[in-house]
Amino acid sequence: NAGVTQTPKFQVLKTGQSMTLQCAQDMNHNSMYWYRQDPGMGLRLIYYSASEGTTDKGEVPNGYNVSRLNKREFSLRLESAAPSQTSVYFCASSEALRGDTQYFGPGTRLTVL
Amino acid sequence: GENVEQHPSTLSVQEGDSAVIKCTYSDSASNYFPWYKQELGKRPQLIIDIRSNVGEKKDQRIAVTLNKTAKHFSLHITETQPEDSAVYFCAATPYSSASKIIFGSGTRLSIRP
């Protein structure tokens, strides 16, 4: 039981390049999330998926898109990376959307030059 | 919308002493308050949580208290040990808002030997 996995662990992009961050969970959770973590700012919600087939914007969605591919997988895409998107990205999942423990993946450290 | 403020941002205590971290929230409808611990370079992990129908919850050396009237909740760590050194995040989940677990900005706790 791997829990929540993310790929890649590290990535360096040039401004304007695109990439997709992958996330998968094997806990049969309904809800999945993408956060970014910047120094001194805690965790900010980018997008979430309450259940398979639905996605919604979080606190900081601009510059990102997501796809809930199936119940297990939730990907985050940067279409045209900017230096302001340099951050650590965490995927998380929970059984239910509201009032439930969120389990985090190991994170992806992204640098945009 | 919900806003969560966390204090202090850094805290240094002598090993064996107690540590207290405080959070306030703005949405009176919030009903779930988890605390996460993040060790350096690792993912956030849930250490304790409390729901709005409970005033206090304890798990070995850690406890959380909730004052719904004042809209604040606190994390208490007793008999601190070196492995307690980490960043701690509080969070609040407003019942009225579909996912939006809002995190505080974090407290970096250092345990002095």
Side-chain angles (χ1 to χ4, degrees):
Chain A
N1 194 341
V4 181
T5 57
Q6 291 181 235
T7 55
K9 291 186 177 179
F10 302 93
Q11 184 71 49
V12 179
L13 293 177
K14 294 181 180 177
T15 298
Q17 288 185 319
S18 62
M19 79 162 295
T20 299
L21 281 64
Q22 306 286 353
C23 174
Q25 52 91 9
D26 62 2
M27 295 176 283
N28 201 36
H29 284 169
N30 290 305
S31 302
M32 297 185 74
Y33 316 80
W34 276 105
Y35 293 91
R36 60 178 289 173
Q37 184 174 37
D38 303 299
M41 298 193 72
L43 291 150
R44 293 185 293 170
L45 183 65
I46 305 171
Y47 270 94
Y48 67 96
S49 171
S51 60
E52 187 178 356
T54 70
T55 60
D56 281 289
K57 294 178 181 180
E59 186 183 354
V60 288
N62 291 346
Y64 306 95
N65 284 299
V66 290
S67 296
R68 184 73 183 267
L69 305 169
N70 47 56
K71 191 171 185 179
R72 290 187 62 249
E73 298 173 289
F74 188 38
S75 63
L76 178 72
R77 183 162 178 82
L78 287 71
E79 290 291 351
S80 179
S84 61
Q85 295 178 304
T86 293
S87 189
V88 179
Y89 291 85
F90 286 99
C91 176
S93 70
S94 64
E95 185 170 344
L97 183 62
R98 196 176 282 135
D100 210 358
T101 303
Q102 293 191 11
Y103 295 86
F104 286 82
T108 295
R109 185 173 295 275
L110 175 66
T111 301
V112 183
L113 302 174
Chain B
E2 176 64 281
N3 184 46
V4 177
E5 294 191 359
Q6 183 171 348
H7 300 279
S9 57
T10 60
L11 179 61
S12 178
V13 302
Q14 194 77 32
E15 183 178 349
D17 287 350
S18 296
V20 180
I21 302 170
K22 299 181 179 181
C23 289
T24 60
Y25 61 99
S26 59
D27 187 342
S28 57
S30 291
N31 64 344
Y32 175 63
F33 307 91
W35 285 88
Y36 286 81
K37 175 183 179 181
Q38 186 177 27
E39 297 176 359
L40 190 63
K42 301 288 183 63
R43 72 191 79 188
Q45 291 191 295
L46 181 81
I47 55 171
I48 195 167
D49 57 12
I50 192 167
R51 298 185 186 274
S52 58
N53 58 347
V54 175
E56 184 174 358
K57 184 176 179 181
K58 191 173 181 179
D59 183 4
Q60 299 183 333
R61 294 186 300 107
I62 61 173
V64 57
T65 59
L66 172 65
N67 183 327
K68 287 172 56 180
T69 303
K71 290 189 284 187
H72 68 70
F73 56 114
S74 301
L75 177 72
H76 303 253
I77 306 174
T78 59
E79 301 173 10
T80 53
Q81 301 171 2
E83 54 264 35
D84 295 328
S85 293
V87 178
Y88 292 81
F89 293 97
C90 63
T93 303
Y95 185 82
S96 58
S97 176
S99 79
K100 307 274 179 82
I101 181 170
I102 306 297
F103 285 86
S105 56
T107 296
R108 182 172 299 280
L109 175 63
S110 300
I111 308 301
R112 303 191 304 271

